[in-house]
Every structure is written in C-alpha cells, then in structure tokens.
Amino acid sequence: MATLSQWIAGARPRTLPAAVAPVVVGTAAAAPLDEANLGLGLLAVLVSLGLQVGVNYANDYSDGIRGTDADRVGPIRLVGQHKADPQNVKLMAFAFFGAAALVGLALVAISQTWIMIPLGALAVIAAWKYTGGDNPYGYRGLGELYVFLFFGLMATLGTLYTQAHEITALGVYGAVGVGAIASAILVANNLRDIPTDRESGKLTLAVRLGDRGTRMLYVALVVVAVVMVVLISTQQVFALIALLSLVVVARPMRGLLAGATGRDLVPVLASTGIFEIVYAVLLAAGIALSLSVG
C-alpha cells in the first residue's frame, strides 16, 4: 500500500502551478472591468486544482495498466511501479474530478454562468480521455493541445467570464500566454520521455517531432508567452514586468538547448512550472499597477 508521501508525489505537485496560474490571470483580466472577485477566484482555483490532480492520477492509472510507465525517469508512478492498487488510483482520480465538479457547480450557481456546466463536463471527459479509454488522444500527439485548451483558454477565460460575464482581448492574450507555458511543461516532460514513449508505442507530439523539433517547440511556446505580455502592455503598460519571470527559466532553457536528456531535464520541468506561476503573478501585478497609476 502506498504511503501518504507517495500519494502526494503521485499527484505531481510540480504541475500544480498550471492549475493556479490561469485563475490568477483570469482574475487580473477582470480588474480593468472593475469586476475582479477574489472569492470567485478562490472557487475557480479549487476547481482547477481538482481537475489537475484528477488528471495526474488518471494518467498514472491509464499509463500504468498499459505498461507505459514500467521504466520511467522522474516522479513516482503509483501503478507503473506497483506502489498502489490500480483501482485505488482510478478511484482517487474520480474523487478529485467529483470534488472539482461540486465546487464548479457552486461557482456557476453563485456567478450565474450556467454555460460553464457543459464546458466543465467536457473538461472532465477530456481529462479522462487524455490517456484513458480505448483510443486516448494523448497517445496520438494531442496532449499539448488539450493542455492549451483546458489549462490555458478555458481556465483563464472561464475565470474571467464567471467574474465579469464577458470575454476581453486582454483576457484572451493572458489565456494564450499561460496556455503556452502550461503546454511547455508537458513538452519538457514528453521530451524527457521520448525513448520510453517510443518503445511503448505512446506517440506523443515529442515522439512525432523528434528530439530537436521538441526542443524548438519548447522555445517557441516561451516566445509566444513573451509576445502575449507585449500585447497586453499595449493596454496595461506595466504588464511588461511579467517579462522578469524569464529569469526563472533562462538557465534551464539553456540546458535544454544544450541537449540535456533524462534526469537532466527534470530541472527544466520544475522551473517551467515555477515560471508559469511567476509569470501569472507578475502579469497580474503589472495590470493592477497600471490601473492604479492610470
């Protein structure tokens, strides 16, 4: 039976910034409309965290029973390393999905944004189908698209919509920015796993692009995040301070471009997660500063 520390490690805490960052940016995007609501933002964070942990356990279960996680570098695999019963891991995944759904219903009821119910249901289905089911799209190179759509666009714009009841250009720019970085986290993870994924038949985007193409994709996603800050600064000039977040990822990215492999890519993965939350917080601070000065 897995220990508590192993269950926590199986939740993959390093990926959790991808759940918090879009809510921070979505709430900040509501501020120029004078509609930012920290209470609704907190509920949105709980929903996003529930989905993130749920999908992490779901991936552990689905990859584990397929044998994909039999020989991995990186975080503990509860099923693949025989640390926990597969059915218990599956149950944990759906427990977090259920918790996210309940908090999501409360968020929708309070904000009166009923359109979010089918969108939320779609998010849960997509989370399970990522590596679960008969034809998981994560095995067909669509994982990064899933992350961009659900932990970028939907999480950010959903947060904005529940607070302001509208979508703005600033919100879209912010959603694209955090979505790009969230996708970069997965790109770094899948770059590390190219050898084992190729051997097990898991055709991730990294496997399809190859080593060099995957490294270039990572850089391109970081560039997209930078461009979005510049676009936001045309409306809120002090948003440019978000560019300071590049300090977090500069050194690990140099290692990635220098050809780091295996365990040497773990710092890249961890730093990209930190980069995303620092990017989001600085972007929100820049928007707040622009509003106060203006």
Side-chain angles (χ1 to χ4, degrees), residues 4-61:
L4 176 60
S5 63
Q6 289 172 332
W7 277 109
I8 293 173
R12 304 181 189 181
R14 287 176 177 172
T15 66
L16 298 187
V20 178
V23 178
V24 172
V25 173
T27 301
L33 303 173
D34 200 27
E35 295 288 352
N37 186 309
L38 295 182
L40 294 179
L42 177 59
L43 289 177
V45 165
L46 294 176
V47 173
S48 192
L49 285 172
L51 287 174
Q52 180 68 66
V53 175
V55 77
N56 287 343
Y57 281 132
N59 292 346
D60 191 303
Y61 166 78

